[in-house]
Amino acid sequence: LFRSRPGTDAAFALGMAATVVEEGLVNEAFVKDQTDLPLLVRDDNRLFLRESDLKDDGHPEQFFWLDTKTKKVAAAPRGTLALGKVDPALKGSISVTLADGTKVTCRPVFEHVAKRLKDYTAEKAAAMCGVDAGMIREIARKVAKGRTKTLGSLNNAGKYYHGDLIERSQLLLLGLTGNWGRKGTGVQAWVAALFDGWLMGAAKPAAGQEITQALWGAYQNFVGAIQKEDPTMTKELATIEFTKRSVAGGAGWVPPVFLWYNHAGFDKNWQRAEWNDPTMPRPFESYYREAVNKGWWAGEPTKGIEPRVFIECGGNALRRTRGGRKMLVKHLWPKLKTIVTLDIRMSATALESDYVLPIASQYEKISFGIPSTHTMNLTFCDRVVAPIDEARTEIDIFGLLSKAVQERAIARGFVTYKDGSGAQRRLDDLYPRYSMNGFMENEDAVADEMIKDTVITGALPPGSSLETVRKKGFIRWSGLGMNARALGQATEPEPDSTFAPYRNHTEKKEPYPTLTRRAQFYIDHEWFLEAGEELPMHKDAPKAGGDYPLLITSGHNRWSVHSTNIANRRMLQTHRGAPHLVMSPADATERDVEDNEMVEVFNDMGSYQTPVKVSASAQPGQIIMYNGWEPYQFPNWDGPSDIEPGMIKWLHFAGGYGHLKFWPTQWQPAPVCRGTRADVRKITN
């Protein structure tokens, strides 16, 4: 049993990667076949060698490697991962003559990786992460010689400021050892795709599978047209490209960071240099403006448009948003004319809303589990009882709202308007369009339509319907369907078999959806080069929240099943009955704090009060506050999120580069919470 220091997972992974390289345990066949490590990088500017460097009309995304057989530079194919007759070198260098006659030396990415890993020998990594050097070596050997799998989006590393470095480092270890694309290996992340009928309804003007067939055909034609533009694109690559283009065309998807930055006060937090990474070369605002000015985000959504109505449905903004009530109620709420929450209970957001619309709970309506390849099934929850009192399903409530808006618009003679993107919208036919001419008033029919639409896209087997799922309770996925996130799993589901992502890459040699068309570890984007993060590395979490000695970590608590049950009386009886902060015995003794004593947790953002649970499960220097607690469970309604600055790593605004382009449901850029700095003190009065 061992524990690494919070936020040092990258150092731990790189220490193992260094051991793999030092001891000759690299799976060279896999590395050459699947990754960018054989591709050549120029010594003079640290950029990939491109065809556009070699001739004036050269392709800017054609890359090269050094063939050990001919000792010459050879083009790496873009349409396949198959090496053909070439044996790419992982070591060595070659002099290349550029289009202007200049000679430059180039060497494979692997050489740059090997050089960087010298900073992460087992001993050096141990000093960073706290895991014994011998243990690092032992685990590295096991990873190299066996099958290794990581579940759960790389342990939610993305909630750390440098979570991208943690994930890239862990993936580098898996890549060096050939640990993805086969059973028992790789990364299996949360997908939230496959059930295409969910979103298909939003595009359909009326119900019926013949309309779905027409839309599905048009969608395939769009994807096919992109493949004709570039025949080296697979269906996966073309679908992702289509998704990116649909956003650029104004499909209505807006990353919430622009709302937070322009209207919720986060601009002040993100611009505080002392809360950002100290190695950030320029001020945050400089990167933000450059990203917007270069069109990487199709302008600056929400800039100059004052928000007026906030509708919360399916979430709890005042609890879940980093900064919580302190940021939103103080900065955003005063700008709003109307705040509406749809919920089954009085959540923190509901308590500070103008209107609370009661929705049916999961047993009062038909619902489906979040679709993913973890379960490999569409899971079903049926309506057991009718909704009580005024509660309605979400579909019904938005139907009533659209009907009321339509009636009011007609009465006022205000039937057309332009939305934030400049598109003309009509209001006098809002309800028929929303409800597909009343079809959505029938809950059973809507659920059946969703399932049958998903059959058409191939994600569910023929004959699937509401009737069949009611009999069995679930339906196994038969394909990946049409969603780009699902196709990114790059493995077709098989009957009665576990699911291992990326087999299309390892077995069929289909290229990856990256700039280099390979699993890419070297990012030669100008910002990444400037930051020294062109390759994975370890960086300590910045002092977000101020220069304080304790690091806050979190996780999903074990006692509520889901945050909607966090204040449930029966669930509270399974633990201490109230929120609590976990603190190590050493830190508690230093602060003269006893178990179950009420303390104040504070930093430059603010403070909140909570009882302490003294436990060796927390390391010295670490405090653990599990998430999900409602702010109203704390004195003065000041909760844990109120001291989270919600920092954004500047590199996550980078764009205009291969795979570094926004597309919906990727959750980036996202404010982080783990690794926030704070301290704890006794409450003396």
Side-chain angles (χ1 to χ4, degrees), residues 20 24-35 37 90 110 144 173-179 182:
V20 168
L25 301 175
V26 175
N27 186 332
E28 292 194 3
F30 186 90
V31 167
K32 293 178 180 181
D33 191 65
Q34 296 290 308
T35 77
L37 300 192
L90 294 179
F110 184 85
L173 173 64
L174 297 181
L176 289 171
T177 56
N179 265 302
R182 57 195 174 109

Side-chain angles (χ1 to χ4, degrees), residues 33-276:
D33 191 65
Q34 296 290 308
T35 77
D36 69 333
L37 300 192
L39 297 182
L40 292 173
V41 173
R42 294 170 50 171
D43 278 359
D44 61 331
N45 59 13
R46 297 186 293 157
L47 299 177
F48 281 116
L49 179 66
R50 291 165 162 83
E51 189 180 50
S52 54
D53 296 331
L54 304 179
K55 54 184 181 180
D56 293 336
D57 60 346
H59 197 296
E61 294 183 3
Q62 174 61 64
F63 304 97
F64 296 86
W65 45 37
L66 173 61
D67 183 9
T68 61
K69 295 179 180 178
T70 63
K71 310 299 182 185
K72 295 181 179 179
V73 169
R78 288 170 45 79
T80 179
L81 295 173
L83 302 179
K85 298 180 180 180
V86 175
D87 179 24
L90 294 179
K91 300 177 182 179
S93 63
I94 187 170
S95 179
V96 177
T97 302
L98 304 182
D100 62 1
T102 305
K103 291 184 179 295
V104 297
T105 300
C106 301
R107 64 191 74 246
V109 172
F110 184 85
E111 285 223 342
H112 293 270
V113 169
K115 181 180 179 181
R116 172 149 294 185
L117 290 178
K118 292 184 183 300
D119 294 331
Y120 298 95
T121 61
E123 287 73 21
K124 291 179 180 178
M128 299 176 197
C129 69
V131 179
D132 179 74
M135 180 65 74
I136 291 175
R137 289 195 183 91
E138 180 182 343
I139 298 175
R141 293 166 189 148
K142 290 183 177 181
V143 171
K145 295 177 181 178
R147 295 181 181 231
T148 302
K149 186 177 183 70
T150 301
L151 289 172
S153 306
L154 296 167
N155 305 310
N156 289 313
K159 294 183 179 180
Y160 279 93
Y161 185 94
H162 289 304
D164 55 342
L165 290 175
I166 293 174
E167 293 183 351
R168 290 171 66 196
S169 299
Q170 292 176 335
L171 289 170
L172 177 61
L173 173 64
L174 297 181
L176 289 171
T177 56
N179 265 302
W180 70 64
R182 57 195 174 109
K183 298 293 181 70
T185 69
V187 178
Q188 195 158 346
W190 188 67
V191 178
L194 298 162
F195 193 29
D196 298 321
W198 256 347
L199 292 178
M200 184 68 80
K204 294 172 64 171
Q209 272 60 66
E210 66 283 354
I211 294 177
T212 306
Q213 288 281 10
L215 288 173
W216 174 232
Y219 182 86
Q220 290 177 301
N221 288 338
F222 282 125
V223 172
I226 292 174
Q227 288 180 288
K228 287 182 179 179
E229 293 176 18
D230 183 354
T232 66
M233 279 194 172
T234 61
K235 181 181 178 182
E236 175 193 1
L237 271 63
T239 301
I240 292 174
E241 178 61 23
F242 171 77
T243 306
K244 292 175 181 177
R245 293 185 187 183
S246 66
V247 176
W253 295 88
V254 177
V257 291
F258 293 101
L259 176 67
W260 302 153
Y261 187 86
N262 289 314
H263 301 294
F266 283 93
D267 55 330
K268 303 297 189 299
N269 286 2
W270 299 347
Q271 291 172 22
R272 291 186 65 161
E274 70 273 22
W275 288 2
N276 275 292

Side-chain angles (χ1 to χ4, degrees), residues 370-491:
I370 296 174
S372 182
T373 55
H374 287 87
T375 60
M376 288 307 299
N377 295 291
L378 174 67
T379 55
F380 175 69
C381 183
D382 208 348
R383 178 182 57 249
V384 178
V385 296
I388 62 173
D389 297 329
E390 296 181 322
R392 301 287 189 95
T393 68
E394 293 91 334
I395 290 176
D396 283 347
I397 288 176
F398 281 104
L400 291 170
L401 285 172
S402 63
K403 187 180 293 185
V405 169
Q406 173 182 310
E407 292 172 353
R408 183 65 174 152
I410 293 173
R412 293 177 59 192
F414 180 73
V415 296
T416 62
Y417 74 100
K418 288 186 178 181
D419 65 16
S421 65
Q424 186 88 356
R425 304 289 185 182
R426 296 197 67 86
L427 295 174
D428 54 350
D429 61 348
L430 183 60
Y431 179 71
R433 285 191 291 111
Y434 168 81
S435 66
M436 291 192 282
N437 295 313
F439 174 79
M440 294 183 70
E441 295 174 4
N442 186 323
E443 185 181 14
D444 282 31
V446 170
D448 190 56
E449 185 87 352
M450 289 179 178
I451 295 172
K452 290 178 178 177
D453 285 352
T454 308
V455 171
I456 290 174
T457 66
L460 289 177
S464 299
S465 66
L466 178 61
E467 181 182 2
T468 61
V469 78
R470 269 187 167 141
K471 289 179 180 178
K472 195 173 183 179
F474 63 90
I475 307 174
R476 185 174 176 84
W477 303 114
S478 58
L480 296 178
M482 64 185 290
N483 188 285
R485 282 178 65 95
L487 291 172
Q489 293 292 291
T491 294

